């Protein structure tokens, strides 16, 4: 089978076959295109509860996230139009300016495709390619399947934006419940005491109790002065509750980027024997982090990593996961290292230091004391296992929209529906000190914290519940709460696309891909077109906003600018009202194109789907 990649100077490295490459690409697209849910206890990292949506083009509920999904769909279609020249043509790179270039693929038959890019991350540019001028927004690429007509630009988003809402639904008593009114829908509460009791040992729960006893002399100064000693616990993560004599003294946790934390809290001690219990909790399965390549190779070779070898490895670390594993495995075999686990180091969790400051006029270090520890599926002394007696779904069995469990008024714990584990929940707030943005600026190189949102807000509020888990009646919801909350405020919510928006300027490319199947691309007259589509089984019931001119704002908050065609709303209503989808050209037949001369006009529309 033909090899997809070749290297000079690395003779003994296993090469990726075309089949391997295809499988790798399919896995890549599944991972990066569809968000998912960690049902049960399968969350794969610290501080991850059930969602690993990652703002994917298709969210964890299975709904398209627009405009991202639509924009990528148009990108793939545009590249497909370039298929033949890309696979058969000779590549040529042309400089069109200091930060502008064209990558051209041309066949001997004359078939041609070009990608024109502007790598300036601040300034828009106009370039000349084959005697034709092309406008390029900052940090963008235009695709020309015939080296003449622009069918796509990465910075010009013509796809619609969807406004998604979570619609709350009140819980109702089951038809089989003895209490038929809403007041009869009550929680059964079971409280568990803190400390090590019984012989239970539930290691899979991720809750570990560390138990020790401390003898306090009745002559201690703090007993007379009323000045409480300070307990200082250092932990690798992820969260912890501290109890003294079965009373909660304090809690602490790490955050989404740093697992270790320090708990520092005053404690109440009595003369005599005091029971100290540390409830250490992990959030996510045991995880690893990759060793830095220099450290890995210097550890085994006792010499710095060859710059060329380092460059190859880092390049594939960034671009190919599966190939990297093959590459490193072969490379390490050359060095006599057979254990593939050497790529990673385990990241630990749990307490590393326990001290009490202010006892015996000094500090008492309990880190070296003999601690009794067990893994338990219990929690704080005032924490509870709550069961909601039989719920009637009130039409849940006929719901056609995705369902989420709203846990904003709860603390931290686990949830089950009809024996199916929904997973962890934790109303932990993201750090308010992180740098968040109201609107993302896509220009420039990507950084993980480039477009943070939700600073100071809960990292997750709704928890995905598959509709197949519901029964028409007799549903049982069980909550294991570790911190405390108000279970009467728990709600099921359905995920609904309430409105869709589009914002297109007259110079936006809007290529009709169906037309390309019937005629040559060069025969097509490129006209900007607004395209709106509601979800299945719904239609456009109202036009909330429409303006052709220079509207301002974003979806959900559009406003009129200084230039406005008064017929905008009536035109959109005429074409789109009571339709599932519609298209509207930015043309003289539909709008006053002579309005506001010398201005690149735009059309912004928001419609309601119902």
């Amino acid at each position: 089978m033909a090899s997809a990649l070749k290297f000079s100077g690395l003779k003994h490295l296993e090469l990726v076959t075309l089949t391997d490459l295809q499988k790798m690409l399919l896995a890549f697209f599944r991972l990066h295109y569809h968000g998912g849910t960690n049902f049960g206890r399968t969350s794969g990292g610290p501080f991850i509860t059930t969602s690993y949506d990652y703002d994917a083009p298709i969210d964890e509920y299975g709904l398209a996230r627009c405009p991202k999904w639509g924009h990528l769909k148009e990108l793939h279609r545009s590249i497909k139009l370039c298929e033949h020249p890309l696979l058969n043509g000779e590549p040529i790179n042309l400089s069109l300016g200091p930060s502008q270039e064209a990558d051209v693929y041309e066949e001997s038959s004359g078939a041609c495709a070009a990608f024109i890019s502007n790598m300036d991350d601040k300034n828009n540019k106009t370039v000349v390619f084959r005697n034709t001028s092309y406008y390029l927004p900052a940090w963008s690429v235009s695709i020309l399947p015939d080296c003449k007509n622009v069918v796509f630009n990465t910075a010009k988003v013509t796809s619609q934006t969807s406004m998604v809402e979570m619609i709350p639904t009140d819980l109702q008593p089951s038809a089989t419940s003895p209490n038929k009114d809403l007041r009869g829908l009550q929680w059964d509460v079971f409280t568990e005491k803190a400390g090590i009791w019984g012989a239970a040992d539930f290691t899979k729960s991720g809750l570990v109790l560390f138990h020790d006893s401390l003898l306090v002399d009745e002559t201690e100064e703090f007993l007379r002065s009323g000045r409480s000693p300070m307990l200082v616990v250092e932990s690798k993560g992820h969260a912890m509750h501290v109890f003294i004599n079965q009373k909660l003294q304090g809690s602490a946790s790490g955050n989404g980027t740093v697992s270790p934390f320090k708990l520092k809290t005053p404690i109440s001690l009595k003369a005599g024997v005091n029971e100290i219990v540390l409830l250490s909790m992990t959030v996510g399965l045991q995880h690893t982090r990759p060793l830095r390549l220099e450290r890995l190779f210097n550890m085994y070779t006792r010499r710095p990593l060859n710059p060329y070898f380092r460059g190859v490895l880092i390049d594939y670390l960034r671009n190919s996961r599966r190939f990297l594993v093959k590459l490193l495995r072969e490379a390490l075999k050359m060095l006599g290292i057979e254990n593939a686990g050497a790529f990673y180091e385990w990241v630990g969790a749990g307490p590393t230091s326990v001290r009490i400051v202010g006892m015996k006029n000094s500090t008492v270090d309990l880190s070296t004391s003999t601690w009794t520890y067990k893994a338990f599926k219990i929690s704080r002394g005032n924490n509870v296992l709550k069961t909601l007696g039989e719920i009637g779904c009130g039409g849940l069995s006929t719901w056609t929209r995705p369902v989420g469990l709203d846990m904003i008024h709860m603390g931290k714990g686990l949830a089950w529906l009809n024996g199916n584990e929904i997973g962890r929940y934790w109303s932990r707030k993201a750090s308010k000190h992180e740098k968040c943005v109201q609107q993302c600026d896509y220009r420039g190189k990507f950084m993980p914290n480039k477009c943070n949102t939700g600073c100071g807000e809960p990292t997750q509020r709704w928890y995905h519940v598959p509709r197949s888990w519901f029964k028409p009646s007799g549903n049982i919801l069980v909550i294991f709460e570790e911190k405390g909350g108000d279970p009467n405020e728990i709600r099921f919510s359905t995920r609904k696309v309430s409105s869709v928006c589009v914002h297109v300027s007259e110079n936006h490319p809007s290529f009709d891909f169906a037309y390309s199947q019937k005629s040559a691309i060069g025969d097509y007259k490129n006209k900007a077109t607004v395209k709106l589509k509601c979800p299945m089984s719904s239609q456009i019931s109202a036009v909330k906003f429409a303006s052709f001119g220079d509207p301002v704002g974003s979806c959900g908050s559009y406003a009129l600018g200084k230039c406005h065609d008064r017929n905008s709303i009536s035109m959109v209503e005429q074409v789109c009202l009571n339709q599932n989808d519609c298209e509207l050209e930015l043309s003289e037949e539909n709008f006053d194109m002579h309005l506001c001369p010398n201005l690149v006009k735009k059309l912004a529309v928001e419609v309601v789907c119902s």
Side-chain angles (χ1 to χ4, degrees):
M1 184 174 288
S3 295
L5 299 169
K6 293 183 179 180
F7 287 94
S8 58
L10 298 176
K11 298 180 181 179
H12 301 287
L13 297 184
E14 182 178 352
L15 300 182
V16 175
T17 65
L18 289 175
T19 301
D20 292 329
L21 192 59
Q22 289 168 356
K23 291 179 180 178
M24 179 181 69
L25 289 173
L26 287 172
F28 174 87
F29 283 119
R30 282 198 302 269
L31 175 65
H32 292 82
Y33 259 76
H34 205 312
T37 306
N38 295 298
F39 297 116
R41 299 191 60 262
T42 57
S43 54
F47 307 103
I48 296 174
T49 44
T50 70
S51 175
Y52 62 97
D53 185 87
Y54 294 129
D55 204 35
I58 301 175
D59 68 20
E60 66 171 306
Y61 294 89
L63 299 179
R65 178 174 276 112
C66 297
K68 181 178 288 186
W69 182 84
H71 196 51
L72 285 173
K73 183 178 179 180
E74 292 180 4
L75 170 63
H76 297 156
R77 284 178 166 179
S78 301
I79 294 175
K80 179 68 175 177
L81 293 174
C82 306
E83 180 180 18
H84 205 275
L86 277 174
L87 295 178
N88 300 283
E90 287 294 326
I92 302 173
N93 181 266
L94 302 175
S95 175
L96 304 178
S99 298
Q100 296 76 41
E101 65 180 31
D103 290 284
V104 184
Y105 298 81
E106 190 164 11
E107 299 180 65
S108 57
S109 63
C112 175
F115 299 80
I116 306 176
S117 59
N118 177 17
M119 292 171 283
D120 190 323
D121 61 3
K122 295 181 175 61
N123 303 301
N124 305 328
K125 296 291 183 180
T126 298
V127 299
V128 176
F129 172 68
R130 296 197 173 187
N131 301 318
T132 302
S133 295
Y134 296 92
Y135 173 78
L136 294 171
W139 200 256
S140 73
V141 177
S142 286
I143 299 178
L144 293 70
D146 59 352
C147 287
K148 294 179 183 178
N149 294 282
V150 176
V151 299
F152 183 87
N153 179 273
T154 56
K156 295 181 178 181
V157 181
T158 60
S159 300
Q160 72 179 29
T161 297
S162 298
M163 298 290 289
V164 178
E165 292 182 285
M166 298 298 287
I167 310 298
T169 301
D170 288 332
L171 303 180
Q172 301 177 18
S174 171
T176 61
S177 174
N179 298 307
K180 297 295 190 295
D181 59 341
L182 287 176
R183 288 174 298 177
L185 191 62
Q186 300 293 332
W187 287 88
D188 296 325
V189 180
F190 307 89
T191 303
E192 294 179 331
K193 62 182 180 180
I196 294 180
W197 54 273
D201 188 14
F202 298 90
T203 58
K204 68 177 182 178
S205 67
L207 306 177
V208 181
L209 283 165
F210 297 84
H211 179 275
D212 195 10
S213 297
L214 177 69
L215 181 63
V216 176
D217 194 283
E218 60 184 11
T219 61
E220 279 285 354
E221 176 65 25
F222 70 83
L223 294 175
R224 296 192 300 270
S225 66
R227 186 180 302 170
S228 298
M230 191 72 67
L231 177 69
V232 181
V233 181
E234 296 182 27
S235 174
K236 291 183 178 181
H238 300 136
M240 179 178 290
H241 299 312
V242 175
F243 304 88
I244 304 291
N245 299 322
Q246 295 199 3
K247 292 184 178 181
L248 178 69
Q249 304 292 306
S251 304
S253 65
N255 58 48
T257 55
V258 181
S259 297
F261 64 87
K262 179 185 287 189
L263 187 155
K264 190 175 182 180
T265 183
I267 56 175
S268 299
L269 296 174
K270 63 182 181 180
V273 177
N274 292 263
E275 181 189 54
I276 302 176
V277 175
L278 308 180
L279 175 58
S280 181
M281 297 169 285
T282 59
V283 183
L285 301 180
Q286 189 176 20
H287 66 290
T288 62
R289 60 187 172 210
L291 285 168
R292 290 188 61 194
L293 295 179
E294 292 93 340
R295 179 180 171 188
L296 176 65
F297 274 78
N298 292 345
M299 183 183 354
Y300 283 101
T301 63
R302 307 294 183 183
R303 63 180 183 273
L305 186 60
N306 178 279
Y308 173 77
F309 204 5
R310 176 181 180 275
V312 171
L313 290 173
I314 289 180
D315 179 62
Y316 275 87
L317 176 63
R318 293 171 177 164
N319 294 289
S320 174
R321 297 179 180 179
R322 186 173 297 178
F323 184 80
L324 173 69
V325 174
K326 291 174 176 282
L327 183 67
L328 282 178
R329 184 179 291 117
E330 290 300 318
L332 292 176
K333 283 182 180 178
M334 293 165 60
L335 297 171
I337 306 168
E338 296 293 336
N339 183 12
F343 302 154
Y344 302 96
E345 57 183 344
W346 288 105
V347 178
T352 57
S353 172
V354 183
R355 292 172 292 132
I356 298 179
V357 180
M359 275 190 64
K360 301 178 182 179
N361 296 321
S362 62
T363 298
V364 176
D365 190 351
L366 300 178
S367 304
T368 57
S369 299
T370 302
W371 288 80
T372 304
Y373 63 91
K374 279 185 178 292
F376 272 88
K377 200 175 183 177
I378 65 171
S379 188
R380 291 169 37 178
N382 60 344
N383 291 349
V384 292
L385 183 70
K386 307 182 184 206
T387 303
L388 186 58
E390 299 184 356
I391 312 166
C393 295
L396 280 179
S397 60
T398 60
W399 277 352
T400 58
R401 295 195 294 263
V403 182
L405 185 65
D406 187 353
M407 301 295 283
I408 189 65
H409 296 285
M410 299 302 291
K412 175 182 180 295
L414 297 165
W416 294 262
L417 177 67
N418 296 327
N420 299 293
E421 190 170 358
I422 297 170
R424 292 182 177 89
Y425 66 87
W426 190 4
S427 297
R428 184 181 65 88
K429 292 185 177 181
S431 173
K432 61 183 179 181
H433 303 295
E434 294 282 349
K435 184 178 179 181
C436 279
V437 296
Q438 294 295 325
Q439 187 173 0
C440 181
D441 185 355
Y442 66 90
R443 298 174 299 181
K445 294 182 178 179
F446 171 78
M447 295 178 292
N449 61 348
K450 186 183 180 85
C451 292
N452 285 344
T453 59
C455 294
E457 299 176 5
T459 55
Q460 185 173 348
R461 174 174 178 173
W462 290 278
Y463 296 79
H464 183 200
V465 184
R467 295 195 303 270
S468 61
W469 290 4
F470 288 96
K471 299 184 292 185
S473 64
N475 294 277
I476 302 294
L477 179 64
V478 178
I479 304 297
F480 177 65
E481 174 58 50
E482 300 172 17
K483 295 183 64 178
D486 186 357
N488 294 311
E489 295 297 325
I490 294 175
R491 294 288 185 273
F492 285 107
S493 299
T494 57
R495 193 169 178 85
K496 175 188 175 184
V497 176
S498 58
S499 62
V500 295
C501 306
V502 70
H503 194 179
V504 175
S505 72
E506 57 184 332
N507 66 359
H508 275 193
S510 185
F511 188 74
D512 187 343
F513 291 93
Y515 182 91
S516 68
Q517 306 298 323
K518 304 175 184 178
S519 182
I521 295 174
D523 298 333
Y524 180 74
K525 292 183 179 180
N526 195 341
K527 290 184 179 179
T529 303
V530 163
K531 299 178 182 179
L532 295 164
K533 183 177 177 61
C534 286
M536 290 189 300
S537 303
S538 64
Q539 61 184 16
I540 298 171
S541 58
V543 179
K544 195 172 182 180
F545 180 90
S547 175
F548 178 74
D550 62 344
V552 296
S554 57
C555 188
S557 60
Y558 286 131
L560 297 178
K562 297 179 180 179
C563 178
H564 170 64
D565 185 342
R566 295 180 180 179
N567 296 320
S568 301
I569 289 183
S570 60
M571 177 54 64
V572 175
E573 287 179 338
Q574 178 183 333
V575 176
C576 299
L577 210 56
N578 300 321
Q579 304 294 320
N580 174 258
D581 62 279
C582 62
E583 294 186 8
L584 188 60
E585 271 190 3
L586 275 64
S587 62
E588 293 184 1
E589 291 80 7
N590 299 323
F591 300 100
D592 184 0
M593 303 300 292
H594 303 290
L595 186 71
C596 310
N598 303 320
L599 175 71
V600 177
K601 291 170 281 295
K602 304 174 182 178
L603 175 61
V605 179
E606 180 177 356
V607 299
V608 177
C609 295
S610 62

